[in-house]
């Protein structure tokens, strides 16, 4: 499963200008696979899970339907966390030039493929 997930991460990063790092983790923050440089992937997975959990709680509270993503804009870039069903997440980091619109467009089919991988192979860490 890990190699298939890594191929998805690399493909997404190659398709989106400004995307610098990406990882897939379980919803409880356990790293599944990461394509990162200087970012600590285990910490990224845990923090992305926390952001996703907060986003889900907020979405439920305000009644806007199922959460799709959480976008955090920073001085030097972006952190985007996508829900992969209820069991996993995709987190993408990008520099200040990240093409967020293209990321959202390209991430939808990637999230669907990742959801199928997670359903088929189960969520495992490694």
């Amino acid at each position: 499963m890990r190699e298939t997930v890594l191929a998805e991460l690399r493909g997404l990063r190659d398709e989106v200008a400004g995307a610098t790092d990406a990882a897939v983790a379980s919803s409880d923050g356990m790293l599944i696979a990461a394509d990162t440089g200087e970012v600590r992937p285990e910490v990224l997975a845990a923090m992305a899970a926390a952001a996703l959990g907060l986003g889900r709680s907020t979405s439920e509270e305000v009644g806007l339907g199922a959460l799709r993503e959480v976008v955090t804009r920073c001085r030097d870039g972006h952190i985007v966390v996508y829900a992969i069903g209820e069991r996993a997440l995709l987190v993408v980091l990008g520099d200040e030039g990240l093409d967020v619109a293209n990321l959202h467009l390209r991430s939808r089919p990637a999230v669907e493929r990742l959801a199928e991988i997670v359903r088929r192979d189960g969520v495992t860490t490694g």
Side-chain angles (χ1 to χ4, degrees):
M1 171 164 92
R2 187 175 180 279
E3 288 305 316
T4 307
V5 171
L6 280 173
E8 284 291 338
L9 297 178
R10 290 179 185 128
L12 189 59
R13 210 170 61 151
D14 290 345
E15 291 177 342
V16 179
T20 60
D21 303 271
V24 172
S26 64
S27 293
D28 62 356
M30 299 303 294
L31 182 66
I32 295 170
D35 179 28
T36 61
E38 296 183 22
V39 174
R40 296 179 295 168
E42 292 84 7
V43 175
L44 177 61
M47 298 303 287
L52 186 70
L54 180 58
R56 277 193 171 127
S57 296
T58 304
S59 174
E60 290 172 13
E61 180 63 32
V62 299
L64 291 178
L67 180 74
R68 293 198 318 192
E69 73 255 351
V70 174
V71 179
T72 304
R73 185 173 179 198
C74 307
R75 184 190 69 208
D76 296 326
H78 298 79
I79 305 159
V80 185
V81 183
Y82 295 96
I84 301 175
E86 293 294 318
R87 298 173 46 199
L89 63 89
L90 164 66
V91 56
V92 179
L93 304 182
D95 59 27
E96 57 272 4
L98 178 66
D99 185 344
V100 177
N102 190 36
L103 175 61
H104 289 330
L105 180 68
R106 301 288 184 179
S107 69
R108 286 188 182 109
V111 164
E112 289 176 16
R113 289 189 298 270
L114 289 165
E116 180 57 34
I117 293 166
V118 168
R119 271 193 299 277
R120 183 184 68 227
D121 298 338
V123 174
T124 60
T125 60

